[in-house]
Amino acid sequence: MENRIARNRKSPVNEDMYIHEYLRRNPSAKKTDGLDIAAVITKDGTRGHGLLSEEFNRSHDRNNHIVKDFIPDSELKVKNK
């Protein structure tokens, strides 16, 4: 997992599956530290999930921010099959 520059995107229909798999791969995301698991898209167009400040995630901000512990959706899908 790495930190990436990304922005919010609309959550996919099966968001619960992504969050469940994200938490399985990154259990430290469960702690209450002011970060949400967010559906994001990086500057290079990679869709994925990562930890984003509640302030930016809940405001539906469309600007780029640092997303911690980014995992591409392609990896989250493969692990859940």
Coordinates of all heavy atoms in Angstrom, one line a residue:
M1 N 0.8 -1.2 0.0 CA 0.0 0.0 0.0 C 0.9 1.2 0.0 O 1.9 1.3 0.6 CB -0.9 0.0 1.2 CG -2.0 -1.1 1.2 SD -2.9 -1.1 2.7 CE -1.8 -1.9 3.8
E2 N 0.4 2.2 -0.7 CA 1.2 3.4 -0.8 C 0.3 4.7 -0.8 O -0.9 4.5 -0.9 CB 2.0 3.4 -2.1 CG 1.1 3.4 -3.3 CD 1.9 3.3 -4.6 OE1 2.9 4.1 -4.8 OE2 1.6 2.4 -5.5
N3 N 0.9 5.8 -0.5 CA 0.1 7.0 -0.5 C 0.1 7.6 -1.9 O 1.1 7.5 -2.6 CB 0.7 8.1 0.4 CG 0.7 7.7 1.9 OD1 -0.1 6.8 2.2 ND2 1.4 8.3 2.7
R4 N -1.0 8.1 -2.4 CA -1.2 8.6 -3.8 C -1.9 9.9 -3.7 O -2.7 10.2 -2.8 CB -2.0 7.6 -4.6 CG -1.4 6.2 -4.7 CD -0.3 6.0 -5.7 NE -0.6 6.2 -7.1 CZ -1.0 5.3 -7.9 NH1 -1.2 4.0 -7.6 NH2 -1.3 5.6 -9.2
I5 N -1.8 10.6 -4.8 CA -2.6 11.8 -5.0 C -3.8 11.4 -5.8 O -3.7 10.8 -6.9 CB -1.8 12.9 -5.8 CG1 -0.5 13.3 -5.1 CG2 -2.7 14.1 -6.1 CD1 -0.7 14.0 -3.8
A6 N -5.0 11.7 -5.2 CA -6.3 11.3 -5.9 C -7.4 12.2 -5.5 O -7.2 13.1 -4.6 CB -6.6 9.9 -5.5
R7 N -8.5 12.0 -6.1 CA -9.7 12.8 -5.8 C -10.9 11.8 -5.6 O -10.9 10.7 -6.0 CB -10.0 13.8 -6.9 CG -10.4 13.1 -8.2 CD -10.7 14.2 -9.3 NE -10.8 13.6 -10.6 CZ -11.8 12.9 -11.1 NH1 -12.9 12.8 -10.4 NH2 -11.7 12.4 -12.3
N8 N -12.0 12.3 -5.0 CA -13.2 11.6 -4.8 C -13.8 11.1 -6.1 O -13.6 11.8 -7.1 CB -14.2 12.4 -4.0 CG -14.1 12.4 -2.6 OD1 -13.6 11.4 -2.0 ND2 -14.6 13.4 -1.9
R9 N -14.5 10.0 -6.0 CA -15.3 9.6 -7.2 C -16.6 9.0 -6.6 O -16.7 8.7 -5.4 CB -14.6 8.6 -8.1 CG -14.3 7.2 -7.4 CD -13.7 6.3 -8.4 NE -13.2 5.1 -7.7 CZ -13.9 3.9 -7.7 NH1 -15.0 3.8 -8.4 NH2 -13.4 2.9 -7.1
K10 N -17.6 8.8 -7.4 CA -18.8 8.2 -7.0 C -18.6 6.7 -6.6 O -17.8 6.0 -7.3 CB -19.9 8.2 -8.1 CG -21.2 7.7 -7.7 CD -22.2 7.8 -8.8 CE -23.5 7.3 -8.3 NZ -24.6 7.3 -9.2
S11 N -19.1 6.3 -5.4 CA -18.9 5.0 -5.0 C -19.6 4.0 -5.9 O -20.7 4.2 -6.4 CB -19.5 4.8 -3.6 OG -18.9 5.6 -2.6
P12 N -19.0 2.8 -6.1 CA -19.6 1.8 -7.0 C -20.8 1.2 -6.3 O -20.9 1.3 -5.1 CB -18.5 0.8 -7.2 CG -17.5 1.0 -6.1 CD -17.6 2.5 -5.7
V13 N -21.6 0.5 -7.1 CA -22.8 -0.1 -6.5 C -22.4 -1.2 -5.5 O -23.1 -1.3 -4.4 CB -23.6 -0.8 -7.7 CG1 -24.8 -1.6 -7.1 CG2 -24.0 0.2 -8.7
N14 N -21.3 -1.9 -5.7 CA -20.9 -2.9 -4.7 C -19.9 -2.4 -3.7 O -18.9 -3.1 -3.4 CB -20.4 -4.1 -5.5 CG -19.3 -3.8 -6.4 OD1 -19.0 -2.6 -6.7 ND2 -18.6 -4.8 -7.0
E15 N -20.1 -1.2 -3.3 CA -19.1 -0.5 -2.4 C -18.8 -1.4 -1.1 O -17.7 -1.4 -0.6 CB -19.6 0.9 -2.0 CG -18.7 1.6 -1.0 CD -17.5 2.1 -1.7 OE1 -17.2 1.9 -2.9 OE2 -16.7 2.8 -1.0
D16 N -19.9 -2.0 -0.6 CA -19.7 -2.8 0.7 C -18.7 -3.9 0.5 O -17.9 -4.2 1.4 CB -21.0 -3.4 1.1 CG -22.0 -2.4 1.6 OD1 -21.6 -1.3 2.0 OD2 -23.2 -2.7 1.6
M17 N -18.6 -4.5 -0.7 CA -17.7 -5.6 -1.0 C -16.2 -5.0 -1.0 O -15.3 -5.6 -0.4 CB -18.0 -6.2 -2.4 CG -17.0 -7.4 -2.8 SD -15.5 -6.9 -3.6 CE -16.0 -6.1 -5.1
Y18 N -16.1 -3.8 -1.6 CA -14.8 -3.2 -1.6 C -14.3 -2.8 -0.2 O -13.1 -3.0 0.1 CB -14.8 -1.9 -2.5 CG -14.8 -2.2 -4.0 CD1 -15.9 -2.0 -4.8 CD2 -13.7 -2.7 -4.6 CE1 -15.9 -2.3 -6.1 CE2 -13.6 -2.9 -6.0 CZ -14.8 -2.7 -6.7 OH -14.8 -3.0 -8.1
I19 N -15.2 -2.2 0.6 CA -14.8 -1.8 1.9 C -14.5 -3.1 2.8 O -13.5 -3.1 3.5 CB -16.0 -1.0 2.6 CG1 -16.0 0.3 1.9 CG2 -15.7 -0.9 4.1 CD1 -17.2 1.2 2.4
H20 N -15.2 -4.1 2.6 CA -14.9 -5.4 3.4 C -13.6 -5.9 3.0 O -12.8 -6.3 3.9 CB -16.0 -6.4 3.1 CG -15.8 -7.7 3.7 ND1 -15.9 -8.0 5.1 CD2 -15.3 -8.9 3.2 CE1 -15.6 -9.2 5.3 NE2 -15.2 -9.8 4.2
E21 N -13.3 -6.0 1.7 CA -12.0 -6.5 1.3 C -10.8 -5.5 1.7 O -9.8 -5.9 2.1 CB -12.0 -6.7 -0.2 CG -10.7 -7.3 -0.8 CD -10.4 -8.7 -0.2 OE1 -11.3 -9.4 0.3 OE2 -9.2 -9.0 -0.2
Y22 N -11.1 -4.2 1.6 CA -10.1 -3.2 2.0 C -9.7 -3.4 3.5 O -8.6 -3.4 3.9 CB -10.6 -1.8 1.8 CG -9.5 -0.8 2.0 CD1 -8.7 -0.4 1.0 CD2 -9.4 -0.2 3.3 CE1 -7.7 0.6 1.3 CE2 -8.4 0.7 3.6 CZ -7.5 1.1 2.5 OH -6.5 2.0 2.8
L23 N -10.7 -3.6 4.3 CA -10.5 -3.8 5.8 C -9.8 -5.1 6.0 O -9.0 -5.2 7.0 CB -11.8 -3.7 6.5 CG -12.4 -2.3 6.7 CD1 -13.8 -2.4 7.2 CD2 -11.6 -1.4 7.5
R24 N -10.1 -6.1 5.2 CA -9.4 -7.4 5.4 C -7.9 -7.2 5.1 O -7.0 -7.8 5.8 CB -10.0 -8.4 4.5 CG -9.5 -9.9 4.8 CD -10.1 -10.9 3.8 NE -9.5 -10.8 2.5 CZ -8.2 -11.2 2.2 NH1 -7.4 -11.7 3.1 NH2 -7.8 -11.1 1.0
R25 N -7.6 -6.4 4.1 CA -6.2 -6.2 3.7 C -5.5 -5.2 4.5 O -4.2 -5.1 4.5 CB -6.1 -5.9 2.2 CG -6.6 -7.0 1.4 CD -6.2 -7.0 0.0 NE -4.8 -6.9 -0.2 CZ -4.3 -6.3 -1.3 NH1 -5.0 -5.8 -2.3 NH2 -3.0 -6.2 -1.4
N26 N -6.2 -4.2 5.1 CA -5.6 -3.2 5.9 C -6.4 -3.0 7.2 O -7.2 -2.0 7.3 CB -5.6 -1.9 5.0 CG -4.9 -0.7 5.7 OD1 -4.2 -0.9 6.7 ND2 -5.2 0.5 5.2
P27 N -6.2 -3.9 8.1 CA -7.0 -3.8 9.4 C -6.8 -2.6 10.2 O -7.7 -2.2 11.0 CB -6.5 -5.1 10.2 CG -5.6 -5.8 9.3 CD -5.3 -5.0 8.1
S28 N -5.7 -1.9 10.0 CA -5.5 -0.6 10.7 C -6.4 0.5 10.3 O -6.5 1.5 11.0 CB -4.0 -0.2 10.6 OG -3.8 0.2 9.2
A29 N -7.1 0.3 9.2 CA -8.1 1.3 8.8 C -9.3 1.4 9.7 O -10.1 2.3 9.6 CB -8.5 1.0 7.3
K30 N -9.5 0.4 10.6 CA -10.6 0.4 11.5 C -10.5 1.4 12.6 O -11.5 1.7 13.2 CB -10.8 -1.0 12.1 CG -11.2 -2.1 11.1 CD -11.3 -3.4 11.8 CE -11.6 -4.5 10.8 NZ -11.6 -5.8 11.4
K31 N -9.3 1.9 12.9 CA -9.2 2.8 14.0 C -9.8 4.2 13.7 O -10.0 4.5 12.5 CB -7.7 3.0 14.4 CG -6.9 3.6 13.3 CD -5.4 3.6 13.7 CE -4.5 4.1 12.6 NZ -3.1 4.0 12.9
T32 N -10.3 4.8 14.7 CA -10.9 6.1 14.6 C -9.8 7.2 14.6 O -9.3 7.6 15.6 CB -11.9 6.4 15.7 OG1 -11.3 6.2 16.9 CG2 -13.1 5.4 15.6
D33 N -9.4 7.6 13.4 CA -8.3 8.6 13.3 C -8.7 9.8 12.4 O -7.8 10.5 11.9 CB -7.1 7.9 12.8 CG -7.3 7.2 11.4 OD1 -8.4 7.2 10.9 OD2 -6.4 6.5 11.0
G34 N -10.0 9.9 12.1 CA -10.4 11.0 11.2 C -10.3 10.7 9.8 O -10.4 11.6 8.9
L35 N -10.0 9.5 9.4 CA -9.9 9.1 8.0 C -11.0 8.1 7.6 O -11.4 7.2 8.4 CB -8.6 8.4 7.7 CG -7.3 9.3 8.0 CD1 -6.1 8.5 7.8 CD2 -7.3 10.5 7.1
D36 N -11.6 8.3 6.4 CA -12.6 7.4 5.9 C -12.0 6.6 4.8 O -11.1 7.0 4.1 CB -13.8 8.3 5.2 CG -14.7 8.9 6.2 OD1 -14.7 8.5 7.4 OD2 -15.4 9.9 5.8
I37 N -12.6 5.4 4.6 CA -12.3 4.6 3.4 C -13.1 5.2 2.3 O -14.3 5.3 2.3 CB -12.7 3.1 3.6 CG1 -11.9 2.5 4.8 CG2 -12.4 2.4 2.3 CD1 -12.3 1.1 5.1
A38 N -12.4 5.7 1.3 CA -13.0 6.4 0.2 C -12.8 5.8 -1.2 O -11.7 5.3 -1.4 CB -12.5 7.9 0.2
A39 N -13.7 5.9 -2.1 CA -13.6 5.5 -3.5 C -12.9 6.7 -4.1 O -13.5 7.8 -4.1 CB -14.9 5.2 -4.1
V40 N -11.8 6.5 -4.8 CA -11.0 7.6 -5.4 C -10.5 7.2 -6.7 O -10.5 6.0 -7.1 CB -9.8 8.0 -4.5 CG1 -10.3 8.5 -3.1 CG2 -8.9 6.8 -4.3
I41 N -10.1 8.2 -7.4 CA -9.4 8.0 -8.7 C -8.1 8.8 -8.7 O -8.1 10.0 -8.4 CB -10.3 8.4 -9.9 CG1 -9.6 8.0 -11.2 CG2 -10.7 9.8 -9.9 CD1 -10.6 8.0 -12.4
T42 N -7.0 8.2 -9.0 CA -5.7 8.8 -8.9 C -5.5 9.8 -10.1 O -6.3 9.7 -11.1 CB -4.5 7.8 -8.9 OG1 -4.5 7.1 -10.1 CG2 -4.7 6.9 -7.7
K43 N -4.4 10.6 -10.1 CA -4.1 11.5 -11.2 C -3.9 10.8 -12.5 O -4.2 11.3 -13.5 CB -2.9 12.3 -10.8 CG -3.2 13.4 -9.8 CD -2.0 14.2 -9.4 CE -1.7 15.2 -10.4 NZ -0.6 16.1 -10.0
D44 N -3.4 9.5 -12.4 CA -3.2 8.8 -13.6 C -4.4 8.0 -14.1 O -4.3 7.2 -15.1 CB -1.9 7.9 -13.5 CG -2.1 6.7 -12.6 OD1 -3.2 6.6 -12.0 OD2 -1.1 6.0 -12.4
G45 N -5.5 8.1 -13.4 CA -6.7 7.4 -13.8 C -7.0 6.1 -13.2 O -8.0 5.4 -13.5
T46 N -6.2 5.6 -12.2 CA -6.4 4.3 -11.5 C -7.5 4.5 -10.5 O -7.5 5.3 -9.6 CB -5.1 3.9 -10.9 OG1 -4.1 3.8 -11.8 CG2 -5.3 2.5 -10.2
R47 N -8.5 3.6 -10.6 CA -9.6 3.6 -9.6 C -9.3 2.7 -8.5 O -8.7 1.7 -8.7 CB -10.9 3.1 -10.3 CG -11.5 4.1 -11.3 CD -12.7 3.5 -12.0 NE -13.2 4.5 -13.0 CZ -14.1 5.4 -12.7 NH1 -14.7 5.5 -11.5 NH2 -14.5 6.2 -13.6
G48 N -9.6 3.2 -7.3 CA -9.3 2.4 -6.1 C -9.9 2.9 -4.8 O -10.8 3.8 -4.9
H49 N -9.4 2.4 -3.7 CA -9.9 2.9 -2.4 C -8.7 3.2 -1.5 O -7.6 2.5 -1.7 CB -10.7 1.8 -1.8 CG -12.1 1.6 -2.3 ND1 -12.3 1.1 -3.6 CD2 -13.3 2.0 -1.9 CE1 -13.6 1.1 -3.8 NE2 -14.2 1.7 -2.8
G50 N -8.9 4.1 -0.6 CA -7.8 4.5 0.3 C -8.4 5.3 1.4 O -9.6 5.6 1.4
L51 N -7.5 5.7 2.3 CA -8.0 6.5 3.4 C -7.8 8.0 3.1 O -6.8 8.5 2.7 CB -7.1 6.2 4.6 CG -7.2 4.7 5.1 CD1 -6.2 4.4 6.2 CD2 -8.6 4.3 5.5
L52 N -9.0 8.7 3.2 CA -9.0 10.1 2.9 C -9.7 10.8 4.1 O -10.6 10.3 4.8 CB -9.9 10.3 1.7 CG -10.1 11.7 1.1 CD1 -8.7 12.3 0.7 CD2 -11.0 11.7 0.0
S53 N -9.2 12.0 4.4 CA -9.7 12.8 5.5 C -11.3 12.9 5.4 O -11.8 13.1 4.3 CB -9.1 14.2 5.5 OG -9.8 15.1 6.4
E54 N -11.9 12.8 6.5 CA -13.4 12.9 6.6 C -13.9 14.2 6.0 O -14.9 14.2 5.3 CB -13.9 12.8 8.0 CG -13.7 11.4 8.6 CD -14.1 11.4 10.1 OE1 -14.4 12.5 10.7 OE2 -14.1 10.3 10.7
E55 N -13.1 15.2 6.3 CA -13.4 16.6 5.8 C -13.6 16.6 4.3 O -14.5 17.2 3.7 CB -12.3 17.5 6.2 CG -12.4 18.9 5.6 CD -11.2 19.8 5.9 OE1 -10.3 19.3 6.6 OE2 -11.2 20.9 5.5
F56 N -12.7 16.0 3.5 CA -12.7 16.0 2.1 C -13.6 14.9 1.5 O -14.3 15.2 0.5 CB -11.3 15.8 1.5 CG -10.3 16.9 2.0 CD1 -9.1 16.5 2.5 CD2 -10.6 18.2 1.8 CE1 -8.2 17.5 3.0 CE2 -9.7 19.2 2.2 CZ -8.5 18.8 2.8
N57 N -13.7 13.8 2.2 CA -14.5 12.7 1.7 C -16.0 13.0 1.8 O -16.8 12.8 0.8 CB -14.2 11.4 2.4 CG -14.9 10.2 1.8 OD1 -15.0 10.1 0.6 ND2 -15.5 9.4 2.7
R58 N -16.4 13.6 2.9 CA -17.8 13.8 3.1 C -18.3 15.1 2.4 O -19.5 15.3 2.3 CB -18.1 13.8 4.6 CG -17.8 12.5 5.2 CD -18.1 12.4 6.7 NE -17.7 11.1 7.1 CZ -17.7 10.7 8.4 NH1 -18.2 11.5 9.3 NH2 -17.3 9.5 8.7
S59 N -17.4 16.0 2.0 CA -17.8 17.2 1.3 C -18.0 17.0 -0.2 O -18.4 17.9 -0.9 CB -16.8 18.3 1.6 OG -15.6 18.0 0.9
H60 N -17.6 15.8 -0.6 CA -17.6 15.4 -2.0 C -16.8 16.4 -2.9 O -17.1 16.7 -4.0 CB -19.1 15.4 -2.6 CG -20.0 14.5 -1.8 ND1 -19.9 13.1 -2.0 CD2 -20.9 14.7 -0.9 CE1 -20.8 12.5 -1.2 NE2 -21.4 13.5 -0.5
D61 N -15.7 16.7 -2.3 CA -14.7 17.6 -2.9 C -14.1 16.9 -4.1 O -13.8 15.8 -4.1 CB -13.6 17.8 -1.8 CG -12.5 18.8 -2.2 OD1 -12.3 19.0 -3.4 OD2 -11.8 19.3 -1.4
R62 N -13.9 17.7 -5.2 CA -13.4 17.1 -6.4 C -11.9 17.5 -6.7 O -11.4 17.2 -7.8 CB -14.3 17.6 -7.6 CG -15.7 17.2 -7.5 CD -16.0 15.7 -7.7 NE -15.7 15.4 -9.1 CZ -15.6 14.1 -9.5 NH1 -15.8 13.1 -8.7 NH2 -15.4 13.9 -10.7
N63 N -11.3 18.1 -5.7 CA -9.9 18.4 -5.8 C -9.0 17.2 -5.5 O -9.4 16.3 -4.8 CB -9.5 19.6 -4.9 CG -10.3 20.8 -5.3 OD1 -10.5 21.1 -6.5 ND2 -10.7 21.6 -4.3
N64 N -7.7 17.3 -5.9 CA -6.8 16.2 -5.5 C -6.3 16.4 -4.1 O -6.1 17.5 -3.7 CB -5.6 16.2 -6.5 CG -6.0 15.7 -7.9 OD1 -6.7 14.7 -8.0 ND2 -5.5 16.3 -8.9
H65 N -6.1 15.2 -3.4 CA -5.6 15.2 -2.0 C -4.7 14.0 -1.9 O -4.8 13.1 -2.7 CB -6.8 15.1 -1.0 CG -7.8 16.2 -1.1 ND1 -7.5 17.5 -0.7 CD2 -9.0 16.3 -1.7 CE1 -8.6 18.2 -0.9 NE2 -9.5 17.5 -1.6
I66 N -4.0 14.0 -0.8 CA -3.2 12.8 -0.5 C -4.1 11.7 0.1 O -4.9 11.9 1.0 CB -2.1 13.1 0.5 CG1 -1.1 14.1 -0.1 CG2 -1.4 11.8 1.0 CD1 0.0 14.6 0.9
V67 N -4.1 10.5 -0.5 CA -4.9 9.4 -0.1 C -3.9 8.4 0.5 O -3.0 7.9 -0.2 CB -5.7 8.8 -1.3 CG1 -6.4 7.5 -0.8 CG2 -6.6 9.8 -1.8
K68 N -4.1 8.0 1.7 CA -3.2 7.1 2.4 C -3.6 5.6 2.1 O -4.8 5.3 2.0 CB -3.2 7.3 3.9 CG -2.6 8.7 4.2 CD -2.6 8.9 5.7 CE -2.0 10.3 6.0 NZ -1.8 10.5 7.5
D69 N -2.6 4.7 2.1 CA -2.8 3.3 1.9 C -3.7 3.0 0.8 O -4.7 2.2 0.9 CB -3.4 2.7 3.2 CG -2.4 2.9 4.4 OD1 -1.2 3.1 4.2 OD2 -2.9 2.8 5.6
F70 N -3.4 3.5 -0.4 CA -4.2 3.3 -1.6 C -4.1 1.8 -2.1 O -3.0 1.3 -2.1 CB -3.7 4.2 -2.7 CG -4.4 4.0 -4.0 CD1 -5.7 4.6 -4.3 CD2 -3.8 3.3 -5.0 CE1 -6.3 4.4 -5.5 CE2 -4.4 3.1 -6.2 CZ -5.7 3.6 -6.5
I71 N -5.2 1.2 -2.4 CA -5.3 -0.1 -3.0 C -6.1 0.0 -4.3 O -7.3 0.4 -4.2 CB -5.8 -1.2 -2.1 CG1 -5.0 -1.2 -0.8 CG2 -5.8 -2.5 -2.8 CD1 -5.6 -2.2 0.3
P72 N -5.6 -0.4 -5.5 CA -6.4 -0.3 -6.7 C -7.6 -1.3 -6.6 O -7.5 -2.4 -6.0 CB -5.5 -0.8 -7.8 CG -4.1 -0.6 -7.2 CD -4.2 -0.8 -5.7
D73 N -8.7 -0.9 -7.2 CA -9.9 -1.8 -7.2 C -9.6 -3.1 -7.9 O -10.2 -4.1 -7.5 CB -11.1 -1.1 -8.0 CG -11.7 0.0 -7.1 OD1 -11.4 0.1 -5.9 OD2 -12.6 0.7 -7.7
S74 N -8.7 -3.1 -8.9 CA -8.4 -4.4 -9.6 C -7.8 -5.4 -8.6 O -8.1 -6.6 -8.7 CB -7.4 -4.1 -10.7 OG -6.2 -3.5 -10.2
E75 N -7.0 -5.0 -7.6 CA -6.5 -5.9 -6.6 C -7.6 -6.3 -5.6 O -7.6 -7.4 -5.1 CB -5.4 -5.2 -5.8 CG -4.1 -5.1 -6.6 CD -3.0 -4.5 -5.8 OE1 -3.0 -4.7 -4.6 OE2 -2.1 -3.9 -6.4
L76 N -8.5 -5.4 -5.3 CA -9.6 -5.7 -4.3 C -10.5 -6.7 -4.9 O -11.0 -7.6 -4.3 CB -10.3 -4.5 -3.9 CG -9.5 -3.5 -3.1 CD1 -10.3 -2.2 -2.8 CD2 -9.0 -4.1 -1.8
K77 N -10.8 -6.6 -6.2 CA -11.7 -7.6 -6.9 C -11.1 -8.9 -7.0 O -11.7 -9.9 -6.7 CB -11.9 -7.1 -8.4 CG -12.9 -6.0 -8.5 CD -13.0 -5.6 -10.0 CE -13.7 -4.3 -10.2 NZ -13.8 -4.0 -11.6
V78 N -9.8 -9.1 -7.4 CA -9.1 -10.4 -7.5 C -9.1 -11.1 -6.2 O -9.4 -12.3 -6.1 CB -7.7 -10.2 -8.0 CG1 -6.9 -11.4 -7.9 CG2 -7.7 -9.6 -9.4
K79 N -8.9 -10.4 -5.1 CA -8.8 -11.1 -3.8 C -10.2 -11.6 -3.3 O -10.2 -12.5 -2.5 CB -8.3 -10.1 -2.7 CG -6.9 -9.7 -3.0 CD -5.9 -10.8 -2.8 CE -4.5 -10.3 -3.0 NZ -3.6 -11.4 -2.9
N80 N -11.3 -11.0 -3.8 CA -12.6 -11.4 -3.3 C -13.2 -12.5 -4.1 O -14.2 -13.0 -3.8 CB -13.5 -10.2 -3.4 CG -14.7 -10.3 -2.4 OD1 -14.6 -11.1 -1.5 ND2 -15.7 -9.6 -2.7
K81 N -12.6 -12.9 -5.2 CA -13.2 -14.0 -6.1 C -12.9 -15.4 -5.5 O -12.0 -15.6 -4.8 CB -12.7 -13.9 -7.5 CG -13.2 -12.7 -8.2 CD -12.8 -12.7 -9.6 CE -13.5 -11.5 -10.3 NZ -13.1 -11.4 -11.6

